[in-house]
Amino acid sequence: MTSTAASAAVLVDGGYELAEGGRWVDDRYVYVDILSGRLFELRDGARPATPRQLAVLDVPLGAVAPVGGTPGAWIAAAGTGIALLTADGVLEWLDRPEDRTPVPSRMNDGVADPGGRFWAGSMAYDGTRGAGSLYRTDHDGTVVRVLDGLTIVNGPAFTADGTTMYLADTAAGTILRCRVDPDSGDLSGGPETFARLGEADGSPDGMTVDDEDCLWVAMWGAGAVRRYHPDGRLLHTLTVPAPHPTSVCLHPDDNRLLVTTARYGVPNPTVASGAVLSVPVPVRGTPACSWRGRRQSGPPGSGRAGSRRGGVYFQGTPPVE
């Protein structure tokens, strides 16, 4: 295992409280600021690197994935459930399963898999152990609870063939690996422990898989990003100039790692805390997968028929200063 200090550049000094969910979508980098419910894009090669605000929600926004065949539309892990954000500004809830939990909870990180499904985790606001779950949104918009008994669910990251999913339980310091049937989306057996982290290692947060099938993990509290071999060996630790890196994204055509960070919980934040960092690396990633949905209306009360406008603003908002 090797360890180096990253020659990280501050790409966006946003002062974000909890930037997260960085993904490469077409020719742009997309990310969120969870607690303020904001969605941003940063066009590739833009000089200066000025992000554009795409949406503001009146609920926390954990992560998004593009909706296949519908430019400008997103599927989102937001508030207490899963919603569609359309290009004309309509918010449509598919389901809000965290409304039915015993403790106040919200959705957290999420990603689409190569088969076109959307996976997202949840957590209790107070970090209640075992209150977090992992959900899968199928092509027809049905939201299925796949795993429960977790605490703070982060990262879902998939190999390119869609047969392996990595999942972080941040509070438990554990990275899980699940075998997935790429046709049905069902898990083949239960999750296995891929890596278990000690307190001094930090806590695993957002993750991505590179073009060599190795796993990159943002380590909250440790100011580091780790790279693991598929067999579980720790290959490299990259130190970054912010204590709370939250997500990692590898550029598909350039050797760059983009890292979101948080100001949340940092007593003396610097310019790199709550920023987007750019780090040169020797590998590349793949663009974000899309949710490929076949939209259907559900019965009254299902959470899938009641589109509404309000609390969401799309396009045309000024750049972040």
Side-chain angles (χ1 to χ4, degrees):
M1 189 274 289
T2 58
S3 180
T4 59
S7 55
V10 176
L11 188 62
V12 178
D13 174 18
Y16 303 113
E17 190 73 4
L18 191 56
E20 176 74 271
R23 309 281 185 264
W24 198 264
V25 180
D26 299 323
D27 62 345
R28 56 188 170 159
Y29 176 65
V30 174
Y31 61 99
V32 304
D33 188 22
I34 293 180
L35 300 180
S36 66
R38 295 182 293 167
L39 173 64
F40 298 91
E41 70 169 12
L42 182 64
R43 292 285 173 175
D44 196 18
R47 296 292 182 272
T50 304
R52 182 172 180 237
Q53 184 173 283
L54 296 179
V56 181
L57 280 65
D58 55 8
V59 293
L61 177 59
V64 301
V67 175
T70 311
W74 308 92
I75 186 169
T80 55
I82 308 297
L84 298 180
L85 306 179
T86 65
D88 60 358
V90 175
L91 173 65
E92 178 184 347
W93 291 102
L94 299 177
D95 196 1
R96 285 181 265 195
E98 293 297 301
D99 281 346
R100 304 185 288 272
T101 54
V103 294
S105 300
R106 66 167 174 85
M107 299 303 298
N108 202 40
D109 205 358
V111 70
D113 70 14
R117 303 171 189 87
F118 183 66
W119 301 71
S122 68
M123 59 172 286
Y125 278 101
D126 65 0
T128 296
R129 289 199 171 272
S133 297
L134 175 70
Y135 297 95
R136 185 189 71 229
T137 305
D138 291 332
H139 301 300
D140 65 356
T142 302
V143 179
V144 180
R145 180 183 275 110
V146 178
L147 293 172
D148 57 15
L150 305 169
T151 300
I152 299 177
V153 184
N154 260 304
F158 286 83
T159 54
D161 62 6
T163 63
T164 300
M165 175 181 65
Y166 295 99
L167 185 71
D169 190 344
T170 302
T174 303
I175 302 171
L176 303 174
R177 179 168 55 192
C178 304
R179 304 301 180 184
V180 182
D181 183 327
D183 294 323
S184 67
D186 293 336
L187 301 189
S188 304
E192 60 183 15
T193 299
F194 177 76
R196 191 177 300 279
L197 290 308
E199 187 173 341
D201 298 321
S203 302
D205 205 322
M207 303 187 290
T208 193
V209 176
D210 65 27
D211 59 0
E212 296 178 355
D213 272 348
C214 293
L215 180 70
W216 294 71
V217 186
M219 300 301 299
W220 174 280
V225 173
R226 289 187 166 198
R227 185 182 187 230
Y228 287 91
H229 190 275
D231 65 10
R233 284 181 292 131
L234 177 59
L235 297 176
H236 191 78
T237 298
L238 193 66
T239 303
V240 296
H244 294 337
T246 56
S247 76
V248 285
C249 173
L250 288 157
H251 194 292
D253 302 312
D254 194 4
N255 296 108
R256 282 188 289 143
L257 177 73
L258 301 174
V259 183
T260 56
T261 69
R263 294 172 67 89
Y264 181 85
V266 180
N268 299 296
T270 67
V271 69
S273 296
V276 177
L277 308 178
S278 177
V279 183
V281 291
V283 293
R284 298 179 180 181
T286 56
C289 296
S290 298
W291 178 68
R292 298 195 293 275
R294 298 185 294 273
R295 299 277 300 282
Q296 298 177 1
S297 293
S302 69
R304 292 175 49 206
S307 299
R308 68 175 175 89
R309 185 184 296 268
V312 182
Y313 306 90
F314 276 74
Q315 315 300 335
T317 50
V320 174
E321 297 298 333

